[in-house]
Amino acid sequence: MKVVICGAGIAGLALAHRVAGTGGEVVVLERATGPREQGYMIDFFGPGFDAAEKMGLLPAIQEAGYRVDEVCFVDQRGRRRAEVPYGLLRKALGGRLISLMRPDLERVLRESLPATVDLRYSTTVCSISDGPDEVVVTLDDGSLLAADVLVGADGLHSTVREQVFGPESMFVRYLGFHTAAYVFDSPEVRDAVAGRFALTDTKNKQLGLYTLRDGRVALFGVHPSSDPRLPDDTRAAVRKAYRGLGWVVPEALEKCPPPHELYYDQVAQIEMPRWSTGRVTLLGDSCCAVSLIAGQGASLAVAGAFVLADKLNTAPSVPAALADYERMWRAQVAEKQKAARDAVRWYMPRSTAAIWLRRVALRLAWLPVVNRLVGRTLAGKAASLTTESVHGTMTSALGR
């Protein structure tokens, strides 16, 4: 089977790895000129952790990970106001949690690709012709590429989705926030962060700061915006959104890089009545973005790729494989999307009282009974893969 994948992000690379590993022919098309360096720290656990282990990727992902022992909220003067029981959470998950930068996870997936995978950067899909026996894509150089399946794994702003299913506005659910991330050099900020993951204990906006292995500092920010549209000058937008915050934030904002070196996007979900048509299907954020509020986006991308690849390898036909993939994976995604929508109201404190309430909740989280409950909830939902696979059920394939 020949599979063309549009998008060399986490979902696309994971799918390429799995399809090629089961004997398929894979071409990955990426419009960017090379691997993207922009991104932020993620927690990788749950179904994607299990899938990565089965794919033999876990050792490399663990090597790329960071040991996070302390996550704390600090006030305008850098004083500690609350702590997140991160170590206890890791223990509750049985140690099956890795914190790493999104670009590092992409790098691991990319470097582990079988040599047979044809990965093409600076390549854009201009048109798609979906027929009964094959799907043909026209590339920006005028060449044609035929395959048994075309997979759009090209993210929140998917080109494949727009060409085949309709404009983005039909499927996006904006959650009311913009987010930004970048990396910079500053000895002053590095010393102030001092090896911890520090979050501003602020209302209406929040910045996170943490150090990387090379001594640089990574910044991640979330702020509300009534307008989902992205600003023309993202650097100016970041500086405006977070100005007025104290501690080391002014120095961090001064180091904000030009727009082309800055990750900036809206916080949104993608909801679609169907993910597939003919020989075209969607994967990851292109069809079921859960948003950073829900978390586990990277984990769901890897696990979803695992499900889709196994269905393509075992189902009697391409339409049957795509139908089974969607039927099995949709419920997992819908649960996470709903959780994110329910959390929007308290995700970003809007008042001083809400900040105090968050501090109280975090203190309660240190209680063993509460922490165990959170751990069981996360682990249980993350591992509840009741989908089928080549060996019977996805649960048995990945292990619980």
Side-chain angles (χ1 to χ4, degrees):
M1 175 176 290
K2 183 173 183 178
V3 180
V4 170
I5 302 168
C6 185
I10 292 172
L13 294 172
L15 179 64
H17 185 284
R18 185 64 177 172
V19 170
T22 55
E25 181 182 354
V26 182
V27 180
V28 181
L29 309 175
E30 172 56 55
R31 62 187 172 189
T33 57
R36 287 179 288 268
E37 297 182 359
Q38 300 90 346
Y40 48 88
M41 187 81 76
I42 61 172
D43 287 327
F44 189 69
F45 66 100
F49 192 106
D50 300 336
E53 186 173 40
K54 288 295 179 181
M55 294 162 67
L57 299 171
L58 199 53
I61 296 175
Q62 289 173 324
E63 185 176 352
Y66 286 79
R67 176 76 183 187
V68 178
D69 293 314
E70 181 182 23
V71 180
C72 63
F73 288 88
V74 299
D75 65 13
Q76 297 276 54
R77 297 170 59 184
R79 297 175 300 183
R80 182 191 311 271
R81 290 303 184 189
E83 299 176 12
V84 178
Y86 200 85
L88 294 177
L89 178 59
R90 184 189 298 113
K91 182 178 180 181
L93 289 169
R96 298 178 68 80
L97 181 152
I98 304 170
S99 299
L100 74 165
M101 298 291 287
R102 286 187 68 95
D104 286 342
L105 179 55
E106 287 189 8
R107 174 183 54 78
V108 168
L109 291 168
R110 185 172 57 252
E111 292 178 353
S112 68
L113 289 176
T116 56
V117 174
D118 182 3
L119 175 55
R120 308 180 189 179
Y121 286 101
S122 302
T123 305
T124 302
V125 174
C126 295
S127 65
I128 300 168
S129 177
D130 188 14
D133 300 317
E134 64 179 8
V135 57
V136 179
V137 297
T138 302
L139 306 181
D140 52 350
D141 63 359
S143 63
L144 302 179
L145 187 60
D148 297 296
V149 185
L150 170 65
V151 180
D154 45 348
L156 186 68
H157 310 293
S158 170
T159 297
V160 173
R161 185 186 63 231
E162 182 168 6
Q163 291 192 20
V164 177
F165 296 92
E168 183 176 304
S169 59
M170 294 175 59
F171 311 113
V172 68
R173 181 195 283 253
Y174 178 57
L175 297 184
F177 299 93
H178 284 189
T179 182
Y182 59 89
V183 176
F184 61 97
D185 285 305
S186 172
E188 175 190 343
V189 179
R190 182 183 65 239
D191 293 344
V193 174
R196 56 184 173 165
F197 197 120
L199 298 161
T200 59
D201 193 36
T202 46
K203 59 185 177 182
N204 292 326
K205 65 191 74 173
Q206 185 176 91
L207 280 181
L209 295 161
Y210 45 96
T211 57
L212 303 179
R213 291 188 186 89
D214 59 8
R216 294 183 299 165
V217 180
L219 176 147
F220 171 73
V222 182
H223 61 275
S225 175
S226 59
D227 189 349
R229 294 175 299 178
L230 303 185
D232 293 330
D233 187 341
T234 53
R235 176 164 61 177
V238 167
R239 288 175 170 173
K240 180 180 179 180
Y242 300 102
R243 68 186 178 192
L245 296 185
W247 192 39
V248 296
V249 174
E251 168 70 7
L253 294 180
E254 181 64 28
K255 297 290 186 177
C256 185
H260 69 277
E261 298 178 13
L262 171 67
Y263 170 82
Y264 192 104
D265 209 346
Q266 60 181 233
V267 178
Q269 296 180 337
I270 296 295
E271 298 176 304
M272 302 182 67
R274 58 192 176 107
W275 298 348
S276 306
T277 181
R279 291 176 174 269
V280 180
T281 193
L282 302 175
L283 174 68
D285 283 355
S286 63
C287 63
C288 53
V290 295
S291 83
L292 61 86
I293 297 176
Q296 292 198 59
S299 176
L300 292 172
V302 174
F306 188 101
V307 173
L308 176 57
D310 274 13
K311 284 321 206 177
L312 290 173
N313 187 47
T314 60
S317 67
V318 168
L322 302 186
D324 282 350
Y325 150 67
E326 182 171 346
R327 174 177 58 83
M328 295 172 180
W329 199 237
R330 182 178 283 274
Q332 292 286 327
V333 171
E335 177 189 33
K336 298 300 180 186
Q337 288 184 325
K338 182 179 184 303
R341 293 193 296 272
D342 292 343
V344 166
R345 291 172 295 178
W346 56 263
Y347 179 75
M348 186 72 64
R350 298 298 179 94
S351 66
T352 301
I355 290 177
W356 278 99
L357 183 60
R358 179 174 64 187
R359 293 176 185 173
V360 171
L362 288 172
R363 292 189 184 103
L364 290 175
W366 283 93
L367 297 175
V369 64
V370 177
N371 188 261
R372 284 196 297 269
L373 176 60
V374 172
R376 284 198 301 269
T377 300
L378 288 173
K381 290 185 177 181
S384 62
L385 298 177
T386 57
T387 54
E388 302 161 21
S389 76
V390 65
H391 298 300
T393 66
M394 189 67 174
T395 303
S396 62
L398 295 182
R400 291 192 71 118

